[in-house]
Amino acid sequence: MVERTPLVGRGAELDRLDGVVAAVLARAGGGPGGGDGPPGVVDLTGPAGMGKSRLLTEVCRRARARGLTVLRGRATEFERHIPFRLFTDAFADLDPRLLRAPLPDPATAPVLHGPAAGTDPGGRTNPYEGPDAPADRFAVHRATAGLLTDLAGRGRGLLIALDDLHWADPASLELLDHLVRHPPPGAVGLVVARRDRQTAPSPAAALARGVDTGAVLRVELGPLDRRTCVEHLAPGLPPGRAERLYASSGGNPLYFLALLQGQGADPAVPAGGLSALLLDELTPLTGTQRRTAEAAAVLGDQATAPLLALTAGLPDAGRLDADLGALSDRDLLRPGPAGGWSLRHPVLRTVVYQHTDHRRRTAMHRRAAAAQAGTGVSAAVRAHHVERALTGWDPRAAAVLLEAADEARTTAPASCAHWLGVVLGVLPHSPEYAARRGELLLRRARALSLCGRLNASRDLLHGLITRLDGAREDDGLRASAVTLCASVERHLGRYGTAVALLRGELARRPAPGPEDALALGLELGSSAPHALSYPEVREDVLRAYGAALRLGNAPAAAGALTTAALGEAYGGDPAKGRRLADRAAARLDALTDAELADLCEPLARIAWTEFYLDRYPEAERHADRGLALVRRVGPLHLLPHLLVCKSVVHMNSCRLESALELCEEAEGIARGVGSDELLGLVLGNKAQILIAAMPPGDPLPLSVAEEAVELAGSRSNWWTSLAWCVLSYAALYAGDPRRARSAMLRAGRGPELPGLQPSLRPLFLEALVNAAVGTGDPAEAESWAAMAAADAERLGLPNQLASALRSEGAVLAARGEPGPAAERYARAAREAARGGATLWEAQALVVGSALTGRAGDPGTAADRWQRGRRLAEAGGSRLLTGLADLFPPDPARPPLPHLTPREREIAELVAEGLTTPAIAARLYLSPRTVDTHLSHIYRKTGITTRAALAALTARGTP
């Protein structure tokens, strides 16, 4: 009804979408426009019946006419748990020979390999099934992006149009999120249509973030105006009747056309609204015609003529052909590709489905499932019908649902959890099924954790543990549930609860078996250091290691060693950490991925350990292996830890673009997991990267750091401390040294700083040194610098030694000793280079070059400036390139061009080494006023310390 009418009243929206098509053509070299045109993703929103599908049809028609390859998929209301249903529908009409053609880089698209991909119920190619399909959802994401890029390159570009996104299955939504965050390179455009109010929060948030960043164009459809409806959709009607139709429809084109088609002389809206109008169209149907329409509503896009006959229970093929013809003539059913049939609009399908007698509808689903058995149709599609046909416990039906759950375990864990939940809902509560129920509950909790629904997993596990209280024998089920529950609690930041659970289970009598005790001990070693200091749990970790050796469990032994290595390295004993890390890395490297599949977390721990030990290449290598493994087998909540570890390695080695990309991927996952702790960890590190990546004075790093601290709340642990440390640095770079000092002391839990990470204390103390210099307190700055030097000497780590040297340089510069200060910065640059920290090397060179010039060595100053700026520019540090441009090697270039006379006067007094009170006395100002001027100076110049300001001011001093 809607798609057969001309498109009216959407000229402005169509022009915007035409611009997107033109931009896709431009990227393919086939039309005007370019990279500065519209985004490649369009979010088309509006209420039901507003014309989104009709507009999408027109855009697809125009795109095809201009030479684009067009893939169009549609989610359906009643198939929300069939994995990747939206995308398999989009690929359904693609030429299978094109799918199987070789790609330029086979490794990028494993989904396409093999002699035959799967097929959907209509016999069409399904690239997400088959013997060579990827084993995990993240491989599907990457393979799909590679496929889209390849398809775009084989023609003049590609447009993917996805309709009714609000009904999409979770696996499709995850894939869409990946494509929005990582748009396929090349001439690829993506348009999604959805009802805004019915869209789940996660995809809605992902699209909203894309709008904020400029990656997504939002097009909202509102009601048609009165003139458009009356003149174009109802030409020739008497004006009064047309006006009444418009008033009743509210400008909704579907409602308007339903009123126009369904009403006789009286245009008043019936009591049932649109549903009643659509049901009126079914009134003249014969009994078999109505059953055929109802079978089409049950089958959705699986509705072929043979399956319609079986589902509706119509043995007469001739009668079916006649009924299909009659339903087509009434425009209730429409023929589709591959012999398929569908009701003309999703709203009509919903109305017919919901008004089909419940018993008849259940019988139709049962007949559909039976008809599909043994035909090669996936378990997921059969499970959809089996679920809707269930009226009680049925072992054969449960077997289909469990098969579908097992197939979806790694590729679509949300669907896996759903089908396990369906089985649990009908499983009898009698004693003979008690063990089976416990096993299924544990499997469902694991699936929920894999897809990031940590709170739901936790609640289910606590219920299972309570259920097993007092059971004499449970075959280790309780210990497994406690281990998983503690892991989930840990990832939710509830470390104390995790430790209590584990210690309680280990103390139970009878004691857990050796394998169960080992699993509990390994998790205790992972959870306890977050709630306690590592020395308090060292014996527990070593005990788990000994148990792993006795049992010959090599993965567990490697896991215990990584816990010990991380504990020692984090706790500030690099020598012991290195020895343990060497042993742990050797054991991990000797294990296959299959052996590590159930114990991925040691790869994250060894990567972080190596980062803390300034072993960046080793850290990245193990993080990469962990990412590859976790993307295949999960769990989802482990990915952000690995992504963040790799991102901070890239940040320190000055690869800021990739560092930010990694952190943003981690952020997308963390926001969906539901753990404030995990999201706070990601945002804290993201803010740290943004400080270096954004130009001087940009407010974004501070706002991200503030969100991280807000998420941390009042907790006191590793990641909370990190969030406050990063806020300190962000405040410092925003020109607020007092707030920087306060935040760092909050991170350290007081002036003795017991809460600061011991292995990174010199780096964090550097912020306190610069904050003290910035507030005019040289005695405090010297005290913090001395503490940093002592810590760095004890640690012996190159990057911590570099940090302590920068602190000494800042103190010397503030005292008016540019020569010794420049020497400290030069040594700091060498130490940072030795540790592979290119970002910090560049910073030391840039700041130190000005001090070198002030000390009377312009040639060396120019060399250091040039190298520092070159490193910063190559690594994408707009902060350092901006600062370098304020420290030009040409002394003729005027410094501080944007300062007021008063600000320049204060800057010159800073260069003389005066403290804030001394400047206030000299200029007859209050110290607070001087600090306010200094904040303005820092913000305008991007400089964060008095030492840097003194060096910069000296550039223009004779």
Side-chain angles (χ1 to χ4, degrees), residues 646-697:
K646 184 174 179 179
S647 75
V648 295
V649 169
H650 281 213
M651 180 198 74
N652 281 271
S653 53
C654 207
R655 291 173 281 170
L656 294 174
E657 183 178 355
S658 58
L660 197 55
E661 288 175 358
L662 289 161
C663 227
E664 287 177 344
E665 182 180 355
E667 180 185 353
I669 297 168
R671 288 190 183 278
V673 164
S675 167
D676 287 350
E677 178 89 355
L678 183 59
L679 182 57
L681 161 68
V682 173
L683 292 180
N685 284 281
K686 181 181 179 181
Q688 192 176 12
I689 296 166
L690 286 169
I691 289 170
M694 303 307 290

Side-chain angles (χ1 to χ4, degrees), residues 155-202:
R156 299 187 63 193
L158 174 69
L159 183 72
I160 310 107
L162 303 175
D163 203 358
D164 289 333
L165 183 71
H166 49 280
W167 285 330
D169 61 278
S172 290
L173 293 175
E174 274 192 354
L175 174 51
L176 174 67
D177 180 70
H178 176 86
L179 295 175
V180 170
R181 288 186 291 105
H182 305 283
V188 180
L190 173 63
V191 183
V192 299
R194 64 188 179 93
R195 301 177 193 169
D196 200 11
R197 292 185 179 182
Q198 291 177 244
T199 305
S202 180

Side-chain angles (χ1 to χ4, degrees), residues 546-904:
L549 292 179
R550 287 192 299 275
L551 292 168
N553 190 328
L561 279 177
T562 60
T563 299
L566 179 58
E568 301 295 358
Y570 178 95
D573 192 337
K576 190 176 290 185
R578 272 190 290 269
R579 290 194 298 272
L580 288 166
D582 289 342
R583 293 167 59 193
R587 283 185 172 272
L588 286 171
D589 292 345
L591 294 170
T592 65
D593 284 357
E595 290 173 308
L596 281 171
D598 293 328
L599 201 65
C600 301
E601 199 160 359
L603 289 166
R605 283 199 291 266
I606 193 64
W608 278 109
T609 301
E610 289 163 336
F611 169 73
Y612 294 144
L613 295 172
D614 289 350
R615 295 174 166 183
Y616 294 167
E618 292 87 348
E620 185 167 4
R621 178 171 67 87
H622 282 114
D624 280 337
R625 187 183 180 193
L627 287 167
L629 186 57
V630 173
R631 282 181 165 130
R632 288 202 302 275
V633 300
L636 180 67
H637 53 260
L638 192 54
L639 269 180
H641 291 278
L642 288 156
L643 289 165
V644 168
C645 181
K646 184 174 179 179
S647 75
V648 295
V649 169
H650 281 213
M651 180 198 74
N652 281 271
S653 53
C654 207
R655 291 173 281 170
L656 294 174
E657 183 178 355
S658 58
L660 197 55
E661 288 175 358
L662 289 161
C663 227
E664 287 177 344
E665 182 180 355
E667 180 185 353
I669 297 168
R671 288 190 183 278
V673 164
S675 167
D676 287 350
E677 178 89 355
L678 183 59
L679 182 57
L681 161 68
V682 173
L683 292 180
N685 284 281
K686 181 181 179 181
Q688 192 176 12
I689 296 166
L690 286 169
I691 289 170
M694 303 307 290
D698 193 290
L700 183 59
L702 183 60
S703 66
V704 173
E706 287 171 337
E707 185 180 357
V709 164
E710 183 179 353
L711 288 164
S714 60
R715 292 190 294 271
S716 178
N717 54 53
W718 289 6
W719 308 128
T720 300
S721 175
L722 172 67
W724 282 97
C725 289
V726 174
L727 178 63
S728 174
Y729 267 100
L732 193 64
Y733 279 77
D736 192 345
R738 294 185 185 280
R739 188 180 187 190
R741 179 184 186 278
S742 173
M744 190 60 73
L745 291 176
R746 167 63 177 79
R749 300 202 298 271
E752 298 302 317
L753 307 177
L756 293 187
Q757 181 175 338
S759 57
L760 295 179
R761 264 171 55 113
L763 180 66
F764 298 143
L765 285 164
E766 186 179 355
L768 285 172
V769 169
N770 286 315
V773 171
T775 55
D777 192 336
E780 182 173 283
E782 290 178 16
S783 174
W784 295 129
M787 186 183 296
D791 282 346
E793 185 67 25
R794 177 180 53 79
L795 292 168
L797 296 168
N799 292 320
Q800 300 310 308
L801 288 167
S803 178
L805 287 165
R806 292 193 301 270
S807 291
E808 290 180 12
V811 171
L812 290 166
R815 287 207 307 238
E817 302 178 38
E823 184 269 339
R824 298 300 194 280
Y825 277 102
R827 286 171 55 193
R830 290 194 294 272
E831 287 291 344
R834 183 166 70 91
T838 309
L839 177 70
W840 299 108
E841 178 189 2
Q843 185 200 47
L845 289 169
V846 167
V847 176
S849 66
L851 292 163
T852 305
R854 185 181 171 194
D857 191 350
T860 302
D863 290 343
R864 290 173 179 170
W865 182 91
Q866 289 168 358
R867 174 168 172 76
R869 195 189 188 288
R870 185 173 66 252
L871 291 174
E873 185 172 27
S877 176
R878 286 182 283 174
L879 171 72
L880 292 182
T881 54
L883 290 178
D885 290 341
L886 293 170
F887 289 77
D890 179 8
R893 180 174 173 178
L896 311 179
H898 306 301
L899 300 189
T900 65
R902 175 65 84 185
E903 290 166 351
R904 187 173 288 108

Side-chain angles (χ1 to χ4, degrees), residues 428-491:
H429 286 271
S430 54
E432 63 265 32
Y433 291 100
R436 184 65 166 155
R437 177 174 296 278
E439 175 200 341
L440 293 177
L441 284 168
L442 183 61
R443 285 177 60 186
R444 184 164 192 260
R446 185 168 285 113
L448 289 168
S449 72
L450 283 172
C451 66
R453 295 176 58 190
L454 295 184
N455 283 297
S457 177
R458 170 192 178 276
D459 292 345
L460 200 63
L461 288 164
H462 276 288
L464 174 58
I465 293 166
T466 300
R467 178 190 300 272
L468 294 171
D469 277 345
R472 292 186 177 182
E473 294 184 7
D474 56 34
D475 293 326
L477 184 64
R478 180 189 167 93
S480 297
V482 169
T483 302
L484 178 58
C485 188
S487 174
V488 171
E489 294 281 19
R490 170 164 58 90
H491 285 284

Side-chain angles (χ1 to χ4, degrees), residues 289 292-293 296 303-306 308 317-330 333-335 339 341:
Q289 289 170 356
T292 300
T304 60
L308 278 169
R319 178 70 265 168
L320 176 68
D321 289 342
D323 288 344
L324 289 173
L327 292 168
S328 178
D329 290 342
R330 291 181 177 276
L333 285 185
R334 292 179 179 177
W341 290 86

Side-chain angles (χ1 to χ4, degrees), residues 114-130:
T119 57
D120 75 357
R124 299 167 296 183
T125 299
N126 178 351
Y128 300 106
E129 297 175 8

Side-chain angles (χ1 to χ4, degrees), residues 24-25 28 67-70 151-159 187-189:
V24 173
L25 282 166
L68 292 182
T69 300
V70 176
L151 290 174
R154 297 184 184 191
R156 299 187 63 193
L158 174 69
L159 183 72
V188 180

